[in-house]
Amino acid sequence: MMRSAFAQPLFTLTTGPVDVYPAVSRALSMPVWYDYDPAFQNCFERVSLKAAQALESATPPLILQGEPVLALEAAAASLLSAEDMVLNLVSGVYAAGFSEWARRYSRQVEELRVEFNQVIDPVAVDAWLSRHPQITVVVVCHHDTPSGTLNPLDEIGRVVKKHGKLLLVDAVSSFAGVAVTAASCQADLFITGPNKCLGCPPGLSLVAVSDAAWRKIEANDAAPRASVLSLLDWRDAWSAEKPFPYTPSVAEINGLEAALDGYLQEGPAQVWARHRLTAQAFRAGIQAMGLSLWAADESIASPTATAIRVPDGVNEAQWRLRARECYGVMFSSGRGETLGKVLRVGHMGPTAQPMFAIIALTALAGALNQLREPQLDIGAGVAAAMAVIG
Amino acid sequence: MMRSAFAQPLFTLTTGPVDVYPAVSRALSMPVWYDYDPAFQNCFERVSLKAAQALESATPPLILQGEPVLALEAAAASLLSAEDMVLNLVSGVYAAGFSEWARRYSRQVEELRVEFNQVIDPVAVDAWLSRHPQITVVVVCHHDTPSGTLNPLDEIGRVVKKHGKLLLVDAVSSFAGVAVTAASCQADLFITGPNKCLGCPPGLSLVAVSDAAWRKIEANDAAPRASVLSLLDWRDAWSAEKPFPYTPSVAEINGLEAALDGYLQEGPAQVWARHRLTAQAFRAGIQAMGLSLWAADESIASPTATAIRVPDGVNEAQWRLRARECYGVMFSSGRGETLGKVLRVGHMGPTAQPMFAIIALTALAGALNQLREPQLDIGAGVAAAMAVIG
Amino acid sequence: MMRSAFAQPLFTLTTGPVDVYPAVSRALSMPVWYDYDPAFQNCFERVSLKAAQALESATPPLILQGEPVLALEAAAASLLSAEDMVLNLVSGVYAAGFSEWARRYSRQVEELRVEFNQVIDPVAVDAWLSRHPQITVVVVCHHDTPSGTLNPLDEIGRVVKKHGKLLLVDAVSSFAGVAVTAASCQADLFITGPNKCLGCPPGLSLVAVSDAAWRKIEANDAAPRASVLSLLDWRDAWSAEKPFPYTPSVAEINGLEAALDGYLQEGPAQVWARHRLTAQAFRAGIQAMGLSLWAADESIASPTATAIRVPDGVNEAQWRLRARECYGVMFSSGRGETLGKVLRVGHMGPTAQPMFAIIALTALAGALNQLREPQLDIGAGVAAAMAVIG
Amino acid sequence: MMRSAFAQPLFTLTTGPVDVYPAVSRALSMPVWYDYDPAFQNCFERVSLKAAQALESATPPLILQGEPVLALEAAAASLLSAEDMVLNLVSGVYAAGFSEWARRYSRQVEELRVEFNQVIDPVAVDAWLSRHPQITVVVVCHHDTPSGTLNPLDEIGRVVKKHGKLLLVDAVSSFAGVAVTAASCQADLFITGPNKCLGCPPGLSLVAVSDAAWRKIEANDAAPRASVLSLLDWRDAWSAEKPFPYTPSVAEINGLEAALDGYLQEGPAQVWARHRLTAQAFRAGIQAMGLSLWAADESIASPTATAIRVPDGVNEAQWRLRARECYGVMFSSGRGETLGKVLRVGHMGPTAQPMFAIIALTALAGALNQLREPQLDIGAGVAAAMAVIG
């Protein structure tokens, strides 16, 4: 039974945007307040403090009014100056992309690069930093989503701090799906967004900033001010007593509050556990069917997204479209270097539930079986996943 | 009966954000799609085309993923280059604010300035441009919201075009509330947002770009690329066949579609008429009570917001807070030069209905009467408003 | 500016259904559970207990799956038997209507009747019951909505109890808008619904049943069983451990929970105060314009709805239609004997806020002024209302 | 990973209530109108006419304000009189239950009964009616949900009409999931509800009434009038010109309109096809795992719900609870005679999509495997289902 690709999808099992939690959906439809209504100013402060709790940030994280691409660019523009020597740890497409912004704003950018199906070795970082003491800022992407691999962030953080460098972390697609916080990795700038594992729509980002980072940004004459790229403009905006640099996205803030409430009430440890279990079950399933992970080793695969290596001779776009048309299930493609080489399945927020691993396995294998011989053994895949799920 | 200022407001009669139309509210709670889901790509194209119809733009306007402050900064950064001589027509705080961005990106910025309770005279613009042929770009804010005054935009557009200059228009708080489109004023960049008279939450902006403007932007090496400040990045994104530079705000796009549907179905002329009638009634009411418009003459007062001159000896913040606490009605303060000098009432989108003029009159007069003698004659105000409404 | 009568109303200031609280609206769109899902069984018990708290009922009130007309008919069918002599206290159309059901199920129905713009005198009830000791059940409608008059229910309750009779109370349109509970009036059957002052949509009713009433119903062979008219079927359904006689209206139950939460959190006394203030202001306003209350004396006018006497020569239907078309405000007509003689304005739930009194005054007077001379002095009306509101 | 049974379910794959379509959910949160608002009166007529189209009813079906239990009881009370001889065709628990109502209102009720895992044979009906010409009304339940079996309704209708009897059909859980309408089966009373295959919450029912049935009801002095059990009261209520007997459930009506729009736009044939495919796939899966259908033969199994025979030694309540706790999937138990003997899975409305068959198979088999040896081969089950789905 073919469905139109333009009909509504039934399951969005992508690497984000994902569908939102029902409570978030309802919160988006709350009455929209004036941003200077005392009730909203109060709300913005309350949400900022809940975000601080979730991110384990000593000070309220900035809530920026755009998806994390805004936050990443703003972070580069704000933190970096013409004196900075940046080390960018590159294990994937998104990390590599950051180099462009870093070069725009700093004196020099070095990359410590691994294959995009590998992760960064903290020992290598330690060695590299020992050889390059002039580095001022280290940048790392925790979960490079196009690869589905998870860097050992907390260990990297320890190394960077040992060397006394500032650490800028992109935790966009890992935060709230795996045990990581601004505190755990000692980030100076810890950037994430609500539209991945928190289960919100895209439109906001969160940036936890350390005292050291604030000092550097304040001292940076080139840091944007009176600009949407400014972090400084938003520094005090969390307080109900202080003005907003410009109008916050009121509806999205309401959605964020519902997501943070859900996250804190369910309990981060429980939320992480269901991300991990869903991903484990899914990986067991695809491997049992003879498909391979993109990640060089399962131990580095992310619990929030799985990148599957596209079998030889298979057109990845066709594969995904078939899953969408026949089963109503939407998956993600690769990006950049991994485009065409991987099909990606998200395990994020409301879809980080083991039953979605079953749906994903069945739909992707069913679609592939329609496109080629030999046929994958879907039953074996599901059985292997169920053995993990219990 | 005093209400807590933190309790929910009953009526948000501000100059934006305003409450949204019920259909917009429901659209915000639609399932959130993956941005590369064919259904969403199709939706984004469809919404872009509806926006083109509403803005009377020859090509689909850009839908940027941030409130209009993003669009204004991006427009300055994209259009202007170090060769440009800009004439900024300044009749209020927002127009004046644009000079900062213009200076950041151009060689020189000249201002043709009037008092902030006046509007720009097209004849003066004509004369000025005749004397300064080196000007390349003219900038005008149609409705300078902090003043509640409406510039004669279509006439200004004719003058600017007669001189062959590019015209950048900020129509953020006038579009969809008054008869103006990108075509009517011959704008090269026509910037607006859905969170004013279209009745959406803040979080998006719309930018209609003329062919001439695109040529200039493309030729501008300094125009941002790979940046949230880029217009170029989004040029082709309206097409379902083309990629997004980064993730669009899916939920907000659904809201925007509902707002555009409502606007086009009710009919722009009808929508403008109720904005006009609401503002007329309101102005009649406040003047009948002895309050004054900020605008030097009623003929230049905007149909989408009214700025009332704060009577001598009255603390504007106290006045607004009292209206919020006693009647649950939220109004706007002034901004910048008009802060403390005006109290502003929006007539925008869902609140552009004559009955809201009555609520506004009653609440603001009631609050003022609580704070001081002599007492305003609320009955006279309402009677005058009703005489207009019929 | 005439609006189509088929366009959406802007303000529903009727005697019910009224618009719902925003939180209720969102609750209606929660995922719909299976009725035997443990989470829903738990929810149903929790809502029943919250209802018990709000109604001050010793046992959880029944939540019936239909608007209060169902509850009233079911109450008559369940409580009354061929042996019963019923005294129905009739001060209005709804009370009179109950006699029809009472006659269907009892031996005899007596009426103590007053003019429909008067209320029942407890002293007269006392005297009547002294003369007619054979009466077994007394029935009273607290707020006879078609008249907008409020019977002295607690006093009547004391008289009925002094005589040892069972008391059946229709508090559909008074509960949650005025200080009355099942306990305060000593009702044996206390019937109300969430679609009036609680601010829910129509579709449910609440019935608090005393132990004495349960004993009588259980002993009544004619009481419906296995029927939608049965109270007995639902007796234990509040408990998460017990089955439902048939499927409860899951979405409406979610709405009811949101309404009860709002009511209990705002505080009943505060909710009643704003109903009272809104009605007082409204009554002051209409009287200041020379219109009259239907109620013979303002002291018996209900705080939850006001019935205005239609001036001679005015067609009430035309009057209401004009208010709907010109101002987008919907009012209620009379019913039965009061049809054509009164126009009714509700002050219920979310509309029990003083500003809605202003809207109502303005719209009804504006509409009347369009239809006839002499002109009402709307200003005087609003001024009088504001003098009450403060 | 055990979940609390009180946590929200992830998938409600029951035989109803089921979760609603997203568009229905949004419609439930529309502003609630006064029932006599012209816009709502117009809406009610419009929805009635859409229902007529969906049910293929010559006249607008009644929309009753309660779930179908109300409609069934009201139908018995309205249609049947002390002269009637009723033949009730009983193939399951719900059909058997109707005899109780039929006996309450008619002279005599005969049953043509088959085992509850069988369906009615039209030939037997023909023979029976030939032998009992005094029968006036024949009653049949199309899909006896507790058995998951589907009677050959159109054939039965032809037989009943051949004998000139009135036909009362309970199509509550089949309509909109299988090719049946009031016209196709020649029903005189065709009763269904929106809370099954139409994907609405419980709270309304639909009754299509033939001219012959209206004549009989009108002639029936015992037919309820001025009662929630009355069909007559609602006869003309569909018309925007006519009053409602009592307040309709406004929010639910909005939901119903969204559901009918979706049904008619997707196309009934397409909707039926996905119900059928989902059920086929599911049945293939459970049989491949060695479980049995309750239905004596797969050819009589309903496309809208599957009843699985509980294996010997398995506690059905435990089984379902385990599926709820471990996988967040909610199933239905049996009812009456089938209670404890079957576990039921709905394929209704939004869950009538093949991927839900996979979820159901996996969750029920996973739960059973946790409770006992031998282990079901889940892989084989899913593979068999996928072979059907394609």
Side-chain angles (χ1 to χ4, degrees):
Chain A
M1 191 175 69
M2 296 291 280
R3 307 160 48 86
S4 160
F6 297 131
Q8 301 301 315
L10 297 174
F11 299 100
T12 294
L13 302 180
T14 60
T15 57
V18 294
D19 198 3
V20 301
Y21 287 104
V24 171
S25 184
R26 292 195 298 279
L28 292 171
S29 67
M30 289 176 67
V32 169
W33 298 314
Y34 182 50
D35 50 346
Y36 287 103
D37 191 295
F40 181 74
Q41 291 179 294
N42 204 39
C43 165
F44 195 86
E45 177 173 316
R46 192 174 62 235
V47 176
S48 297
L49 295 175
K50 288 177 184 176
Q53 185 183 351
L55 273 71
E56 295 193 309
S57 167
T59 53
L62 309 185
I63 304 177
L64 298 187
Q65 313 307 308
E67 70 111 347
V69 154
L70 166 66
L72 289 163
E73 186 180 358
S78 295
L79 187 71
L80 303 180
S81 67
E83 288 76 45
D84 277 309
M85 302 285 286
V86 175
L87 169 62
N88 189 14
L89 306 176
V90 177
S91 60
V93 173
Y94 282 177
F98 193 83
S99 288
E100 182 174 358
W101 287 322
R103 279 189 200 101
R104 203 178 283 171
Y105 296 105
S106 65
R107 180 147 67 95
Q108 194 177 334
V109 175
E110 300 291 336
E111 290 186 347
L112 195 166
R113 224 173 226 261
V114 295
E115 292 294 312
F116 283 8
N117 61 346
Q118 298 281 3
V119 292
I120 301 293
D121 178 0
V123 173
V125 177
D126 192 8
W128 206 98
L129 288 175
S130 296
R131 290 195 308 274
H132 300 80
Q134 73 278 33
I135 290 295
T136 52
V137 176
V138 179
V139 178
V140 61
C141 179
H142 186 201
H143 170 214
D144 212 306
T145 339
S147 297
T149 50
L150 197 73
N151 280 306
L153 180 59
D154 290 358
E155 290 83 344
I156 291 170
R158 275 192 291 276
V159 167
V160 171
K161 288 294 128 182
K162 188 183 82 174
H163 288 270
K165 312 304 184 192
L166 289 173
L167 177 63
L168 189 161
V169 171
D170 168 352
V172 172
S173 60
S174 59
F175 173 73
V178 56
V180 69
T181 66
S184 79
C185 67
Q186 304 180 63
D188 291 290
L189 282 178
F190 182 87
I191 296 165
T192 190
N195 56 315
K196 302 282 183 178
C197 302
L198 276 174
C200 283
L204 295 177
S205 43
L206 297 168
V207 186
V209 186
S210 73
D211 288 343
W214 275 130
R215 281 192 300 272
K216 181 162 186 345
I217 294 169
E218 283 171 339
N220 182 6
D221 288 342
R225 288 161 175 87
S227 168
V228 295
L229 288 177
S230 174
L231 298 187
L232 283 166
D233 290 359
W234 285 92
R235 180 166 189 178
D236 299 323
W238 65 271
S239 165
E241 310 296 319
K242 295 295 171 57
F244 301 113
Y246 57 89
T247 311
S249 299
V250 177
E252 308 281 354
I253 299 294
N254 288 330
L256 176 57
E257 179 161 33
L260 289 169
D261 284 344
Y263 180 66
L264 295 170
Q265 280 162 22
E266 185 176 352
Q270 166 64 16
V271 175
W272 302 333
R274 61 176 167 80
H275 281 78
R276 189 170 53 240
L277 180 61
T278 305
Q280 278 176 337
F282 182 69
R283 293 193 307 258
I286 58 159
Q287 293 178 105
M289 295 190 296
L291 294 172
S292 309
L293 295 177
W294 171 258
D297 189 277
E298 189 173 343
S299 65
I300 62 172
S302 168
T304 70
T306 300
I308 302 165
R309 193 174 286 273
V310 176
D312 290 343
V314 173
N315 178 313
E316 178 268 347
Q318 251 188 321
W319 185 11
R320 286 190 308 118
L321 186 60
R322 188 56 67 101
R324 179 69 171 71
E325 287 176 341
C326 287
Y327 310 108
V329 182
M330 191 72 215
F331 297 117
S332 290
S333 64
R335 287 283 173 97
E337 270 193 49
T338 68
L339 181 62
K341 298 181 191 159
V342 304
L343 177 151
R344 291 182 300 149
V345 178
H347 324 292
M348 292 177 170
T351 64
Q353 297 281 4
M355 281 298 100
F356 287 104
I358 303 297
I359 294 171
L361 283 172
T362 312
L364 70 85
L368 193 57
N369 282 351
Q370 290 189 14
L371 294 175
R372 63 150 204 181
E373 292 292 343
Q375 297 286 289
L376 296 183
D377 183 345
I378 301 178
V382 170
M386 284 300 286
V388 171
I389 297 169
Chain B
M1 191 175 70
M2 297 289 281
R3 307 160 47 83
S4 161
F6 298 131
Q8 300 301 315
L10 297 173
F11 299 100
T12 294
L13 302 180
T14 60
T15 57
V18 294
D19 198 4
V20 301
Y21 287 103
V24 171
S25 184
R26 291 194 298 279
L28 292 172
S29 66
M30 290 177 67
V32 169
W33 297 313
Y34 182 50
D35 50 346
Y36 286 104
D37 190 296
F40 180 74
Q41 291 179 296
N42 204 41
C43 164
F44 196 86
E45 177 173 317
R46 190 174 64 235
V47 176
S48 297
L49 296 175
K50 288 177 183 176
Q53 186 184 349
L55 273 71
E56 295 192 307
S57 168
T59 53
L62 309 185
I63 305 176
L64 298 186
Q65 313 307 307
E67 71 112 344
V69 155
L70 166 68
L72 290 163
E73 185 180 356
S78 296
L79 187 72
L80 304 180
S81 67
E83 288 75 47
D84 278 307
M85 302 284 288
V86 176
L87 170 62
N88 189 16
L89 306 176
V90 177
S91 61
V93 173
Y94 283 176
F98 192 83
S99 288
E100 180 174 358
W101 286 322
R103 280 189 200 100
R104 203 178 283 172
Y105 296 105
S106 64
R107 179 147 69 96
Q108 194 176 334
V109 176
E110 300 291 336
E111 291 186 347
L112 196 164
R113 224 173 227 260
V114 295
E115 293 293 311
F116 283 8
N117 62 344
Q118 297 281 5
V119 292
I120 301 294
D121 178 0
V123 175
V125 177
D126 194 7
W128 206 98
L129 287 175
S130 298
R131 290 195 308 274
H132 301 79
Q134 72 279 33
I135 289 296
T136 52
V137 176
V138 179
V139 177
V140 61
C141 179
H142 186 201
H143 170 214
D144 212 305
T145 338
S147 296
T149 51
L150 198 71
N151 280 306
L153 181 59
D154 290 356
E155 291 83 343
I156 292 170
R158 276 193 289 277
V159 168
V160 171
K161 288 295 128 184
K162 188 182 83 174
H163 288 271
K165 311 305 184 193
L166 289 172
L167 177 63
L168 188 161
V169 171
D170 167 353
V172 172
S173 61
S174 59
F175 172 74
V178 58
V180 69
T181 65
S184 78
C185 67
Q186 305 180 61
D188 292 289
L189 282 178
F190 182 87
I191 296 164
T192 190
N195 56 314
K196 302 282 184 182
C197 302
L198 277 174
C200 283
L204 295 176
S205 43
L206 296 167
V207 186
V209 186
S210 74
D211 289 343
W214 274 129
R215 281 192 299 273
K216 181 162 185 347
I217 294 169
E218 282 171 339
N220 182 5
D221 288 342
R225 287 158 176 90
S227 168
V228 295
L229 288 177
S230 174
L231 297 187
L232 282 166
D233 291 358
W234 285 92
R235 181 167 188 176
D236 300 321
W238 66 271
S239 165
E241 311 296 319
K242 294 296 170 57
F244 301 112
Y246 57 89
T247 310
S249 300
V250 178
E252 308 281 354
I253 299 295
N254 288 331
L256 175 57
E257 179 159 35
L260 289 168
D261 285 344
Y263 180 67
L264 295 170
Q265 281 163 21
E266 184 176 352
Q270 167 63 15
V271 176
W272 302 334
R274 60 176 166 82
H275 280 79
R276 188 169 55 241
L277 180 61
T278 304
Q280 279 176 338
F282 182 70
R283 293 193 306 259
I286 59 160
Q287 292 178 106
M289 295 190 294
L291 294 173
S292 310
L293 294 176
W294 171 258
D297 190 275
E298 187 172 345
S299 66
I300 62 172
S302 168
T304 68
T306 301
I308 302 165
R309 195 174 285 272
V310 176
D312 290 343
V314 172
N315 178 313
E316 178 268 346
Q318 251 188 324
W319 185 10
R320 285 190 308 118
L321 185 61
R322 190 55 69 102
R324 178 68 170 73
E325 287 175 341
C326 288
Y327 309 108
V329 182
M330 191 72 217
F331 298 117
S332 289
S333 64
R335 286 283 174 98
E337 269 193 50
T338 69
L339 181 62
K341 298 180 189 159
V342 303
L343 177 151
R344 291 183 298 149
V345 178
H347 323 292
M348 292 178 169
T351 64
Q353 297 283 2
M355 280 298 101
F356 287 103
I358 303 297
I359 295 171
L361 283 171
T362 313
L364 71 84
L368 194 56
N369 282 352
Q370 289 189 15
L371 294 175
R372 64 151 205 181
E373 294 292 342
Q375 298 286 290
L376 297 182
D377 183 346
I378 300 178
V382 170
M386 285 300 287
V388 172
I389 297 169
Chain C
M1 191 173 69
M2 297 289 281
R3 306 160 47 85
S4 160
F6 297 132
Q8 301 301 315
L10 297 173
F11 300 100
T12 294
L13 301 181
T14 60
T15 57
V18 294
D19 198 4
V20 302
Y21 287 103
V24 171
S25 184
R26 292 195 298 279
L28 292 171
S29 67
M30 289 176 68
V32 169
W33 298 312
Y34 182 49
D35 50 346
Y36 287 104
D37 190 297
F40 180 72
Q41 292 180 294
N42 203 41
C43 164
F44 195 86
E45 176 173 317
R46 191 174 63 234
V47 177
S48 298
L49 296 175
K50 289 176 183 177
Q53 185 184 350
L55 273 71
E56 295 193 309
S57 168
T59 52
L62 309 185
I63 304 176
L64 298 186
Q65 313 306 309
E67 71 111 344
V69 154
L70 165 67
L72 289 163
E73 185 180 357
S78 295
L79 187 71
L80 304 180
S81 67
E83 288 77 46
D84 278 309
M85 302 286 286
V86 175
L87 170 61
N88 189 15
L89 306 176
V90 176
S91 61
V93 174
Y94 283 176
F98 192 83
S99 288
E100 182 172 356
W101 287 321
R103 280 190 200 100
R104 202 176 285 170
Y105 296 105
S106 66
R107 179 146 69 96
Q108 195 178 331
V109 176
E110 299 293 335
E111 289 187 347
L112 196 165
R113 221 173 229 263
V114 295
E115 292 294 311
F116 283 7
N117 62 344
Q118 297 281 5
V119 293
I120 301 294
D121 180 359
V123 175
V125 177
D126 193 7
W128 206 99
L129 287 175
S130 297
R131 289 195 309 274
H132 301 80
Q134 72 279 32
I135 290 295
T136 52
V137 175
V138 179
V139 178
V140 62
C141 179
H142 187 201
H143 170 215
D144 212 305
T145 338
S147 297
T149 50
L150 197 72
N151 281 305
L153 181 59
D154 290 358
E155 291 84 343
I156 292 171
R158 275 193 290 277
V159 167
V160 171
K161 288 293 129 183
K162 189 184 82 175
H163 288 271
K165 312 305 185 193
L166 288 173
L167 177 63
L168 188 161
V169 171
D170 167 352
V172 172
S173 61
S174 59
F175 173 73
V178 57
V180 70
T181 65
S184 79
C185 67
Q186 305 180 60
D188 292 291
L189 282 178
F190 183 87
I191 296 165
T192 191
N195 57 314
K196 301 283 181 178
C197 302
L198 276 175
C200 283
L204 295 177
S205 43
L206 297 167
V207 187
V209 187
S210 73
D211 289 343
W214 274 129
R215 280 191 300 273
K216 182 163 185 345
I217 294 169
E218 282 171 341
N220 182 5
D221 288 342
R225 288 160 176 88
S227 169
V228 295
L229 288 177
S230 174
L231 297 187
L232 282 166
D233 291 358
W234 286 91
R235 181 167 188 177
D236 299 322
W238 65 272
S239 165
E241 310 297 319
K242 294 294 170 57
F244 302 112
Y246 56 90
T247 310
S249 299
V250 177
E252 308 281 354
I253 299 294
N254 288 331
L256 175 57
E257 179 161 33
L260 290 168
D261 284 345
Y263 180 67
L264 295 170
Q265 280 162 22
E266 184 176 353
Q270 166 64 15
V271 176
W272 302 334
R274 61 177 167 80
H275 281 80
R276 188 170 53 241
L277 180 62
T278 305
Q280 278 176 338
F282 182 70
R283 294 193 307 259
I286 60 160
Q287 292 178 104
M289 294 190 296
L291 294 172
S292 309
L293 295 177
W294 170 258
D297 190 275
E298 188 173 344
S299 66
I300 62 171
S302 168
T304 68
T306 301
I308 302 165
R309 194 174 287 273
V310 175
D312 291 343
V314 173
N315 178 314
E316 178 268 347
Q318 250 188 324
W319 185 10
R320 284 190 309 120
L321 187 60
R322 188 56 68 102
R324 179 70 170 72
E325 288 175 340
C326 288
Y327 310 108
V329 182
M330 190 72 216
F331 298 118
S332 290
S333 64
R335 286 283 173 97
E337 271 194 49
T338 69
L339 181 63
K341 298 181 190 158
V342 303
L343 177 152
R344 291 182 299 148
V345 178
H347 324 293
M348 291 178 170
T351 64
Q353 297 281 3
M355 281 298 100
F356 287 103
I358 302 297
I359 295 170
L361 283 172
T362 312
L364 72 85
L368 193 57
N369 282 351
Q370 291 189 14
L371 294 175
R372 63 151 205 181
E373 294 290 344
Q375 298 284 290
L376 296 183
D377 183 346
I378 300 177
V382 170
M386 284 301 285
V388 171
I389 296 168
Chain D
M1 191 174 70
M2 296 291 280
R3 307 161 47 85
S4 161
F6 297 131
Q8 301 302 315
L10 298 173
F11 299 100
T12 294
L13 301 180
T14 60
T15 58
V18 294
D19 198 3
V20 301
Y21 287 104
V24 171
S25 184
R26 291 195 298 279
L28 292 171
S29 67
M30 291 177 66
V32 169
W33 297 314
Y34 182 49
D35 50 347
Y36 287 104
D37 191 296
F40 180 74
Q41 292 178 294
N42 203 42
C43 163
F44 195 86
E45 177 173 315
R46 191 174 63 235
V47 177
S48 298
L49 296 175
K50 289 177 184 175
Q53 185 184 349
L55 273 70
E56 295 193 308
S57 168
T59 52
L62 310 185
I63 304 176
L64 298 187
Q65 313 305 308
E67 71 111 345
V69 154
L70 166 67
L72 290 162
E73 186 180 357
S78 295
L79 188 71
L80 304 180
S81 68
E83 288 76 47
D84 279 310
M85 301 284 287
V86 175
L87 171 61
N88 189 16
L89 306 176
V90 177
S91 61
V93 173
Y94 282 177
F98 192 82
S99 288
E100 182 173 358
W101 286 323
R103 280 190 200 101
R104 203 178 283 171
Y105 296 106
S106 65
R107 180 147 66 95
Q108 195 177 333
V109 176
E110 299 292 336
E111 291 187 345
L112 196 166
R113 221 172 229 261
V114 296
E115 293 293 312
F116 284 8
N117 61 344
Q118 298 282 2
V119 292
I120 302 293
D121 178 0
V123 175
V125 177
D126 193 7
W128 206 98
L129 287 175
S130 297
R131 288 195 308 272
H132 300 79
Q134 73 278 33
I135 290 295
T136 52
V137 175
V138 178
V139 178
V140 61
C141 178
H142 187 201
H143 170 214
D144 213 304
T145 339
S147 298
T149 50
L150 198 72
N151 281 306
L153 180 59
D154 289 359
E155 291 82 343
I156 292 170
R158 275 193 290 277
V159 168
V160 171
K161 287 294 128 184
K162 189 183 81 174
H163 287 272
K165 312 306 182 191
L166 289 172
L167 176 64
L168 189 161
V169 170
D170 167 353
V172 173
S173 60
S174 58
F175 172 75
V178 58
V180 70
T181 66
S184 79
C185 67
Q186 305 180 62
D188 292 288
L189 282 177
F190 182 87
I191 297 165
T192 191
N195 56 313
K196 302 283 182 179
C197 302
L198 276 174
C200 283
L204 296 176
S205 44
L206 298 166
V207 187
V209 186
S210 74
D211 288 343
W214 275 129
R215 281 193 298 273
K216 181 161 186 351
I217 294 169
E218 282 170 340
N220 182 6
D221 288 342
R225 287 161 175 87
S227 168
V228 294
L229 288 177
S230 174
L231 298 186
L232 283 166
D233 290 359
W234 285 91
R235 180 166 188 178
D236 299 323
W238 65 271
S239 164
E241 310 297 320
K242 295 295 170 56
F244 301 112
Y246 56 91
T247 310
S249 300
V250 177
E252 307 282 354
I253 299 295
N254 288 331
L256 176 57
E257 179 161 32
L260 289 168
D261 285 345
Y263 180 67
L264 295 169
Q265 281 164 21
E266 184 175 353
Q270 166 64 15
V271 175
W272 302 333
R274 62 175 165 80
H275 280 80
R276 190 171 51 241
L277 180 61
T278 305
Q280 278 176 338
F282 182 69
R283 292 194 306 259
I286 58 160
Q287 291 177 109
M289 294 191 296
L291 294 172
S292 309
L293 295 177
W294 171 257
D297 190 276
E298 188 172 346
S299 65
I300 62 172
S302 168
T304 68
T306 300
I308 302 165
R309 194 174 285 273
V310 176
D312 290 342
V314 173
N315 178 313
E316 178 269 345
Q318 251 188 323
W319 186 10
R320 286 191 307 118
L321 186 60
R322 189 55 68 99
R324 179 71 170 72
E325 287 175 340
C326 287
Y327 310 108
V329 181
M330 190 72 216
F331 297 117
S332 289
S333 64
R335 287 281 174 101
E337 270 192 50
T338 68
L339 181 62
K341 297 182 191 159
V342 304
L343 178 151
R344 292 182 299 149
V345 178
H347 324 291
M348 293 178 169
T351 64
Q353 297 282 3
M355 280 297 100
F356 287 103
I358 303 297
I359 294 171
L361 283 172
T362 312
L364 72 84
L368 194 56
N369 282 351
Q370 290 188 14
L371 294 175
R372 63 151 204 180
E373 293 292 344
Q375 298 285 290
L376 296 182
D377 183 345
I378 301 177
V382 169
M386 285 300 286
V388 171
I389 297 168

